[in-house]
Amino acid sequence: INNQKTADFSLCLEFNNIDDLSSFILKSKQVNFTYLSLVGAKKLQSAPKIQTLIENHEELSSYKVYYPKSPTPPYTSPLKLLTKSSFWENLLNVFFQNPYEKTPIFSIAHFNPKTAPQSLLAAIYYTGYKSQPDQPKELTLYMENYAKANLKLLLRQCSLSAVQALLIYYIAYYREGNIPLHFTCRAHATRIGYALGIHLDNKIFSELEKYTRRLALIKLRCINIVGSSSHNLTANFLTEFGPLNIKSIEPKWQTSNKSSVIYYEDENERLLYAVCSAHFINFFDELKYSVNNSLYSSARESRYKSEWNKTRKDITRVYQKYTRIFQSLNSVYPDYTQITSKYEFQICIFYHDTMVDMNSKLINKIEDLNSSDIDKAVYHLDWMFNYIYSNNQARTFTQTLITLLGYQYLSYYKLCSPSTRQNIQAKLVQMIQTLAIYYIPSNALSFIILKNGYRSIVGDNIS
């Protein structure tokens, strides 16, 4: 990643003012917006020349730096919680009630915290801790150091549990915006996975082992497809993808029992959770398989759009298929819509996020798109914006995602109809106002670029 993007970003250091730099980044098509938002802007901002340009930018000095409110200090040291078994049990529960549902990587029916490898438990504890609202500074420092020490051990291991732990850390670091460690976990999880031959169909394993390895492979495929797609990398490391496994994941592996970490007394609730989880895993696999095929498309530019449309139809077909499945479950189990609706919403997120990325690639490849194509692209951007905007706007990573969507809105603007342009302007105003309220210096360059982009399309000035 770094080698490919360094060449692009070295050009950015040649500019002597922020306005010209912003114009180059937004209009040249030489800078990948995803990479810019996640990594590039912070790297650029660390360069002395860019630091000077930011420091001399008078407008930024008018913004009040946002500092999150510190929780009320407890009467006793938070570190004393570490000695209580209830603290660690709660972290397990938090993990399995939130992050795990979005990324199942082992059988809930067979997971036993008493026999699980300590390195895997450490990853679960850390992600559970980072998923709860109360994170005292003293305790957070301990958990972060604990995680980093565990990572050093994991990188020396070659086991399936190491892959699982790295995948869990991968999710946690993404959510907290620690992109360097996020990429590190992805790289080493992939390395260890292929060293284990996780992509090979080996008949010597038990059914449980086959299932667990398949879940890990599905996730590894996903994170590498996203990496190739978002960062314009060649997908050589995905040549082992092979044909789609037509054998669907069975619900029994996610059906909890009384010895499971999570157990629902209501039998319908227990079975429905397992069915939804299995369908969600199958959706995930089919969706990413469709995207993977498009990565290898060798079509000439004249046929690129037709190939792109074929992939879009495949992705939409998968999305509609599983939407119907979850809606059917809603009808059959009307008293349990809190379960089915949650999974249905998750597939909506993945679908729209995938289409945002697909449209970004299309517009970079073909310039003469019609207004209908652009309106469809903006529709997916709007959906993702509304979803992201509903999250905690003060979170650094939420702001990063808002900025990324803003860059993409700007790239579509000139191709849009007048009514769509007004919509984009309104969205950009919302974004800039939010970023101004929660302004933090580490996002200074991204904020300036977005604001200058807005000013380049309208004559209005916003504060």
Side-chain angles (χ1 to χ4, degrees):
I1 294 173
N2 290 339
N3 290 339
Q4 179 168 341
K5 295 302 168 189
T6 299
D8 297 336
F9 280 91
S10 63
L11 296 174
C12 297
L13 297 175
E14 297 178 7
F15 294 93
N16 294 317
N17 65 75
I18 292 289
D19 293 346
D20 290 342
L21 172 61
S22 301
S23 179
F24 169 77
I25 286 174
L26 294 173
K27 298 178 181 179
S28 68
K29 293 191 177 183
Q30 294 188 50
V31 176
N32 181 282
F33 289 152
T34 303
Y35 183 83
L36 172 69
S37 302
L38 297 179
V39 181
K42 287 183 172 59
K43 281 191 173 184
L44 274 177
Q45 195 166 317
S46 66
K49 182 176 182 179
I50 303 299
Q51 283 181 357
T52 302
L53 293 178
I54 291 173
E55 289 168 2
N56 294 335
H57 199 277
E58 294 182 3
E59 186 179 345
L60 286 177
S61 61
S62 65
Y63 291 110
K64 184 178 180 180
V65 176
Y66 172 77
Y67 295 102
K69 291 183 179 179
S70 301
T72 304
Y75 292 108
T76 59
S77 170
L79 291 178
K80 288 187 177 180
L81 290 172
L82 299 172
T83 64
K84 299 181 181 296
S85 60
S86 58
F87 170 74
W88 301 102
E89 289 170 3
N90 178 62
L91 297 186
L92 274 177
N93 290 331
V94 171
F95 172 80
F96 281 100
Q97 289 171 1
N98 189 2
Y100 178 78
E101 289 185 353
K102 298 174 184 176
T103 313
I105 55 172
F106 36 68
S107 168
I108 195 73
H110 294 83
F111 177 79
N112 185 347
K114 294 180 180 179
T115 59
Q118 192 59 41
S119 57
L120 177 57
L121 278 178
I124 291 173
Y125 290 143
Y126 179 76
T127 307
Y129 177 78
K130 285 292 186 174
S131 300
Q132 60 182 12
D134 187 17
Q135 299 179 26
K137 186 175 181 180
E138 194 176 355
L139 196 52
T140 298
L141 181 61
Y142 174 87
M143 295 299 290
E144 288 176 347
N145 288 335
Y146 180 29
K148 289 176 183 177
N150 190 42
L151 274 175
K152 291 179 181 178
L153 295 175
L154 286 169
L155 300 188
R156 299 188 186 99
Q157 296 179 16
C158 189
S159 64
L160 183 57
S161 64
V163 174
Q164 292 171 323
L166 287 167
L167 289 174
I168 292 171
Y169 279 128
Y170 167 88
I171 298 165
Y173 287 129
Y174 179 81
R175 292 175 65 178
E176 65 184 76
N178 191 333
I179 302 305
L181 282 179
H182 166 75
F183 283 151
T184 296
C185 292
R186 183 182 76 181
H188 287 285
T190 304
R191 172 184 62 80
I192 297 171
Y194 280 110
L196 292 171
I198 205 169
H199 54 295
L200 303 176
D201 184 16
N202 198 319
K203 296 180 181 179
I204 67 170
F205 296 111
S206 67
E207 290 303 308
L208 175 59
E209 288 173 316
K210 288 179 182 178
Y211 172 78
T212 307
R213 289 167 69 90
R214 184 178 172 188
L215 287 188
L217 178 58
I218 288 172
K219 186 60 183 176
L220 285 176
R221 285 171 173 170
C222 168
I223 63 179
N224 282 299
I225 289 169
V226 170
S228 295
S229 183
S230 298
H231 308 307
N232 293 342
L233 298 177
T234 303
N236 290 336
F237 49 82
L238 288 174
T239 53
E240 304 280 4
F241 202 111
L244 178 67
N245 190 335
I246 59 174
K247 184 179 179 181
S248 298
I249 293 290
E250 297 177 13
K252 66 178 182 179
W253 302 108
Q254 297 298 333
T255 304
S256 62
N257 51 59
K258 290 187 177 180
S259 61
S260 301
V261 177
I262 289 181
Y263 178 71
Y264 302 103
E265 292 289 345
D266 186 313
E267 184 178 3
N268 283 336
E269 187 175 7
R270 192 164 63 249
L271 294 176
L272 188 58
Y273 170 85
V275 169
C276 287
S277 181
H279 282 311
F280 180 66
I281 295 168
N282 291 326
F283 160 77
F284 208 67
D285 199 18
E286 289 184 41
L287 180 76
K288 295 306 177 182
Y289 183 78
S290 298
V291 176
N292 175 76
N293 285 342
S294 72
L295 291 175
Y296 291 102
S297 175
S298 57
R300 297 176 181 175
E301 286 197 20
S302 59
R303 284 190 49 78
Y304 181 84
K305 189 176 180 183
S306 64
E307 291 295 321
W308 184 93
N309 273 323
K310 181 178 180 299
T311 301
R312 177 187 59 79
K313 289 178 181 177
D314 287 342
I315 290 170
T316 303
R317 175 187 55 77
V318 172
Y319 166 66
Q320 291 174 341
K321 169 186 172 181
Y322 284 94
T323 297
R324 288 192 297 270
I325 288 174
F326 284 110
Q327 289 176 347
S328 175
L329 289 171
N330 256 331
S331 300
V332 176
Y333 298 96
D335 295 332
Y336 300 90
T337 55
Q338 77 277 10
I339 297 176
T340 52
S341 297
K342 179 170 57 177
Y343 281 98
E344 185 180 352
F345 185 64
Q346 284 300 314
I347 70 170
C348 280
I349 295 172
F350 280 109
Y351 167 66
H352 288 289
D353 185 50
T354 300
M355 289 311 304
V356 165
D357 188 58
M358 287 279 294
N359 283 302
S360 179
K361 289 196 294 184
L362 180 65
I363 197 171
N364 282 329
K365 192 83 172 179
I366 300 176
E367 295 186 357
D368 57 338
L369 297 174
N370 58 47
S371 59
S372 174
D373 293 324
I374 299 302
D375 286 344
K376 290 175 183 176
V378 172
Y379 162 73
H380 293 293
L381 277 178
D382 286 346
W383 196 98
M384 287 304 297
F385 171 76
N386 292 333
Y387 163 65
I388 292 170
Y389 203 72
S390 67
N391 285 291
N392 182 356
Q393 297 170 12
R395 282 181 59 201
T396 302
F397 198 59
T398 301
Q399 295 180 40
T400 298
L401 295 177
I402 288 174
T403 304
L404 172 58
L405 291 180
Y407 294 156
Q408 291 173 322
Y409 273 124
L410 288 168
S411 69
Y412 295 147
Y413 186 80
K414 288 187 176 180
L415 304 172
C416 295
S417 62
S419 60
T420 304
R421 288 185 179 187
Q422 289 182 342
N423 170 55
I424 289 177
Q425 288 182 25
K427 288 289 194 296
L428 288 170
V429 169
Q430 273 186 279
M431 291 176 171
I432 292 169
Q433 289 175 342
T434 299
L435 295 173
I437 292 171
Y438 299 108
Y439 173 72
I440 50 177
S442 61
N443 283 345
L445 182 59
S446 297
F447 182 48
I448 295 171
I449 294 170
L450 183 64
K451 198 164 185 180
N452 282 345
Y454 173 82
R455 285 176 174 152
S456 72
I457 62 173
V458 295
D460 298 331
N461 203 345
I462 59 173
S463 57

